[in-house]
Amino acid sequence: MRSATPWSDVVELLVEATGETLYMVGVSTLIATLFGIPVGVWLQLTSPGGLRPQPAVHRILGFVTDLGRSMPFIVLLVALTSVTRLIVGGSIGSSAVIVPLSVGAIPFVGRLVQNILSEVHVSVVEAAVTTGATTVKIVRSVLLRESLPALINAIGVTVIALIGYSAMAGVIGGGGLGDLAIREGYQRFNDRILWGTVAWLAVLTTVLQFGFTRAARASDRRRHAAI
Amino acid sequence: MITVENLTKSFQGVPALKGVTLDVQSGSVLGVVGPSGAGKSTLARCVALLERPDSGAIRVDGTDITALGGTALRNARRQIGVVPQGDSLLRQRTAAGNIALPLESAGVPGPQRRTRVGELLDLVGLTDKAGSYPDQLSGGQRQRIAVARALAAGPSVLLADEPTSALDPETTGSVLTVLDRARAELGVTVLVVTHDMSVVRKICDDVAVLEDGRVVENGRVLDLVTDAASRTASTLLPAVDQNPVNESAYDRVADVVLIGFAAVGALLPEAANRFGVELNLLGGGFTRLGETPVARFRVGLTGERADSALEWISDAGAAVRRTLKGPQGVAA
Ligand SMILES: Nc1ncnc2c1ncn2[C@@H]1O[C@H](COP(=O)(O)OP(=O)(O)OP(=O)(O)O)[C@@H](O)[C@H]1O
Ligand SMILES: [Mg+2]
C-alpha cells in the first residue's frame, strides 16, 4: 500500500487536466457551433413547414445528421484516425481529439438548432416574409436572433455533453479530466485522484451550466417566457 | 387600387376559393366578412403573396403580382403591408426595432430609418413605447405596432387579417382608429378581414361577404343597408326584437332605415303630423357607419293614411325596407 498522493499534487494534476479538457471541449464546441448552426438552419429551411421546403434534400440531410448522432463517440475516435492525421498532422494528443469531438458534435448541434428554430412562430416568420426580406435576412434577423436565448442554452448543453465525450480522449492520448480519473485514479486505485476528479467535474459542469443559463436569460427580452 | 380577378385556390384538391372577384378603390377600406372556413384568410394570404393562387389575377395598380418571383416578388411585397393574424412581432426586438424591420429589408439607411420609425410611432400613438419589448405591451399596443410595421415601407395596400379578434371593444377601437388614420393620412388602400361587424360599421367603405369560397354580396356599406335584399344589412343595422303581439295592434308595421341627416332629424314625427297617423317606435335604434349616422326603426302606424305616410317617409330619403304588415314593398 503506497502512501496517498499529497493533495497539492492532486490539485496540480487537476489543473493540468482541466486545461486539456477545456482546450479540447472549447475548440470542438466552437467548430461544432460554426458548422452545426448552418446544418440546423439548412434542415429547418428545407423542412416541410420551412421557408424553402425541399423534401428530398431535407430527408437526405436529416438521414446523414441522425447517422452521425447515432455513432458511438469511441468508434468515431478510432475510425477518424486517418482524417485526424491529415488535419492536425498527428493522431495522438489533445489536438487530435478535437477532430472526432467536433465531427461528433456537428450533427448533435445541427438537430438541436433545427428544433430550436422550428419553435419560432410561423406568423412571426411570415410577417418578415411579407416585408420583402430576403431569406438570408430572415435567417439572421428572425430565426437566429429570436432564438438566441435557446441557442445559448444549446451551446451550454453541447459543452457539457462534450466534456462527457472527452473522457474517452485517453484512448488516443488526449489527456483531460476523464482520462485522469480513469488512468491515474481508477486503474491505479488512487481514490484521492478518482474522487477528487469526480467532484471537480461536478463543480465544473455546474458552474458552466449556471453560466450558460445566466447568459441565455440575460439575452432574453421576453418577460413571462419559458425558453 | 387593388383588383382580384377570378381567384381560385385548392388545398389537396379541396377548393377554398372558387373564383373570387373584388375591387378595392384607392384610398378606401374594404371589409371581407363571412362564416368560418369561407376562405377569408386564404384570400388574404393570396393577396399577401404568402399563398400562390391556382388561377386568377391580383392586380395592384394594374400589375398582376401572382406570378412574380425573386427580387420582383420581394419588391411587390413591399407594396403590400400585412398585419398577419395573431401575434407576429419579434419578441427579442423593441417596438421601434420591429417597425424598422421592413425598412432594413428595403435597405433604407440608419438615420432615415430612425426618422421614419419615429413618424410611424407617432401615427399609431405609441411614441413613448419605442423602447418597449412586445412582452411589455398590451395586446392592442402590440397590434398597433404591427400596423405601424406593415406601413413602414410605404405600401400602397394595407392588409389585415382579423386585426381585432383577440381584443376587447375599447382596444379594438384604438386599432381601428389607426387603420382609419392610415387610409386618411397616407392614402393607403385597406383590405381588412374580420368576423366582427363593428369593424365594418366603424371603418369600412365597402364590404364583401365570402361564403364557401365565393363572394355572395359586395358593395358600398351605405348602399347595402338600404337594400331590402341584402342579408348583410340586418347584421350592420341596430337590431329590433321580434314582437308580434305588439305589432298586431297596428295597421302597418315597417322597417325604416334613415341615413345621414334624416337619421338625426325629425322625419318620423313630421310624417305622423302631416298624415294624422299614430306612429310608434317598436324597436331599433341609432348607429354609425363610418362618420355617417344611421338609424333603423321598426315603426307601427295606425290611421287611414298610414300608407301615404310611409310613402312620404320614403320620398324624403329614407329607405322603408320592409312593410311587415299590409301591402308589401311600399317603397325603397
Ligand atoms: N394550408 C391549408 N391546408 C389545407 N386546407 C386549408 C389550408 N388553409 C385553409 N384551408 C381550408 O380552406 C378553407 C378556407 O379556410 P380559411 O382559413 O381561408 O377560412 P376563413 O374564412 O379565414 O375562416 P376563419 O373565419 O375561421 O378564419 C377551410 O376549409 C380550410 O380548412
Ligand atoms: Mg381566417
Side-chain angles (χ1 to χ4, degrees):
Chain A
M1 203 61 207
R2 294 169 301 137
S3 60
T5 318
W7 279 113
S8 60
D9 289 3
V10 174
V11 169
E12 209 168 292
L13 283 169
L14 277 177
V15 168
E16 191 190 342
T18 303
E20 287 162 355
T21 292
L22 289 183
Y23 168 64
M24 291 186 287
V25 170
V27 176
S28 303
T29 303
L30 201 72
I31 295 171
T33 306
L34 232 53
F35 287 89
I37 287 181
V39 169
V41 167
W42 199 12
L43 273 168
Q44 178 54 23
L45 288 183
T46 55
S47 70
L51 276 174
R52 296 282 172 89
Q54 279 172 303
V57 175
H58 182 75
R59 225 169 300 126
I60 293 168
L61 190 61
F63 177 74
V64 174
T65 305
D66 293 337
L67 198 69
R69 282 202 313 157
S70 66
M71 195 74 69
F73 179 64
I74 191 85
V75 174
L76 217 54
L77 203 62
V78 289
L80 287 177
T81 313
S82 53
V83 181
T84 305
R85 194 173 295 128
L86 206 72
I87 296 176
V88 296
S91 57
I92 297 289
S94 292
S95 297
V97 178
I98 288 173
V99 175
L101 218 45
S102 305
V103 170
I106 290 170
F108 180 77
V109 173
R111 270 295 178 210
L112 278 181
V113 169
Q114 189 218 339
N115 275 329
I116 288 166
L117 299 187
S118 72
E119 292 292 313
V120 178
H121 279 283
V122 180
S123 60
V124 175
V125 178
E126 284 187 345
V129 170
T130 64
T131 68
T134 57
T135 305
V136 173
K137 168 80 179 160
I138 294 171
V139 167
R140 241 192 11 225
S141 298
V142 180
L143 290 180
L144 292 176
R145 184 61 191 86
E146 282 292 292
S147 308
L148 188 61
L151 290 174
I152 292 173
N153 267 326
I155 293 171
V157 168
T158 307
V159 165
I160 286 166
L162 288 187
I163 288 177
Y165 288 155
S166 73
M168 297 171 221
V171 175
I172 59 169
L177 288 166
D179 188 35
L180 178 66
I182 293 167
R183 226 159 22 82
E184 301 290 331
Y186 179 71
Q187 288 173 357
R188 295 189 181 185
F189 306 103
N190 189 330
D191 281 355
R192 281 196 174 183
I193 292 182
L194 177 59
W195 294 112
T197 311
V198 168
W200 172 234
L201 269 172
V203 171
L204 190 67
T205 49
T206 307
V207 167
L208 284 169
Q209 181 65 66
F210 180 76
F212 276 101
T213 306
R214 281 292 287 270
R217 205 175 302 152
S219 78
D220 199 349
R221 301 293 178 252
R222 294 170 300 180
R223 284 297 163 260
H224 357 264
I227 295 167
Chain B
M1 154 119 178
I2 168 162
T3 315
V4 175
E5 288 166 15
N6 221 359
L7 213 61
T8 66
K9 174 78 189 176
S10 299
F11 294 104
Q12 289 100 42
V14 183
L17 298 178
K18 304 174 180 172
V20 170
T21 298
L22 284 173
D23 261 344
V24 199
Q25 295 302 316
S26 286
S28 72
V29 181
L30 169 72
V32 175
V33 299
S36 190
K40 305 182 297 292
S41 292
T42 306
L43 172 64
R45 291 174 57 80
C46 285
V47 176
L49 300 172
L50 288 170
E51 209 84 70
R52 249 182 225 283
D54 299 335
S55 71
I58 298 166
R59 293 180 206 285
V60 174
D61 298 325
T63 318
D64 186 4
I65 54 172
T66 49
L68 301 175
T71 312
L73 175 61
R74 285 197 298 278
N75 287 337
R77 281 182 167 141
R78 278 182 211 124
Q79 280 302 300
I80 302 166
V82 181
V83 183
Q85 192 161 12
D87 261 340
S88 64
L89 297 181
L90 299 176
R91 296 176 77 189
Q92 306 288 357
R93 277 196 185 203
T94 60
N98 269 285
I99 299 174
L101 185 71
L103 300 167
E104 293 167 15
S105 301
V108 176
Q112 273 163 264
R113 213 155 63 204
R114 275 184 287 280
T115 313
R116 180 83 184 127
V117 169
E119 290 165 9
L120 285 154
L121 281 166
D122 185 47
L123 181 85
V124 299
L126 290 172
T127 305
D128 55 329
K129 298 290 182 192
S132 301
Y133 288 90
D135 281 7
Q136 301 166 325
L137 300 171
S138 71
Q141 290 169 338
R142 281 203 293 274
Q143 204 62 312
R144 275 143 75 193
I145 295 295
V147 175
R149 176 181 61 188
L151 292 168
S156 59
V157 175
L158 180 66
L159 184 72
D161 191 357
E162 301 280 9
T164 61
S165 62
L167 306 176
D168 59 57
E170 201 175 312
T171 325
T172 294
S174 72
V175 173
L176 295 183
T177 305
V178 165
L179 290 178
D180 202 42
R181 279 187 81 175
R183 175 264 302 272
E185 293 176 24
L186 307 175
V188 296
T189 305
V190 183
L191 197 157
V192 53
V193 170
T194 184
H195 65 267
D196 181 359
M197 276 300 170
S198 82
V199 172
V200 178
R201 275 195 287 269
K202 284 188 185 120
I203 61 164
C204 293
D205 302 299
D206 298 83
V207 62
V209 184
L210 217 56
E211 246 177 58
D212 193 24
R214 288 194 179 86
V215 176
V216 294
E217 218 169 293
N218 183 14
R220 296 185 58 76
V221 172
L222 287 175
D223 292 343
L224 282 181
V225 291
T226 57
D227 179 354
S230 166
R231 279 187 294 150
T232 320
S234 61
T235 59
L236 284 169
L237 292 166
V240 284
D241 300 332
Q242 297 296 331
N243 195 343
V245 184
N246 203 345
E247 289 173 6
S248 62
Y250 298 92
D251 293 340
R252 294 285 180 271
V253 175
D255 269 359
V256 180
V257 178
L258 305 153
I259 290 175
F261 182 69
V264 290
L267 196 64
L268 298 181
E270 199 184 332
N273 271 337
R274 232 173 234 251
F275 295 91
V277 296
E278 192 197 326
L279 187 152
N280 284 325
L281 300 184
L282 307 180
F286 291 99
T287 188
R288 269 175 181 278
L289 296 175
E291 294 296 300
T292 313
V294 172
R296 182 258 280 270
F297 293 114
R298 176 151 303 168
V299 294
L301 300 93
T302 309
E304 270 179 29
R305 299 173 69 199
D307 285 330
S308 307
L310 284 173
E311 213 163 313
W312 181 83
I313 292 169
S314 170
D315 289 344
V320 178
R321 288 186 67 219
R322 215 147 37 106
T323 304
L324 302 162
K325 196 173 172 192
Q328 297 291 305
V330 166

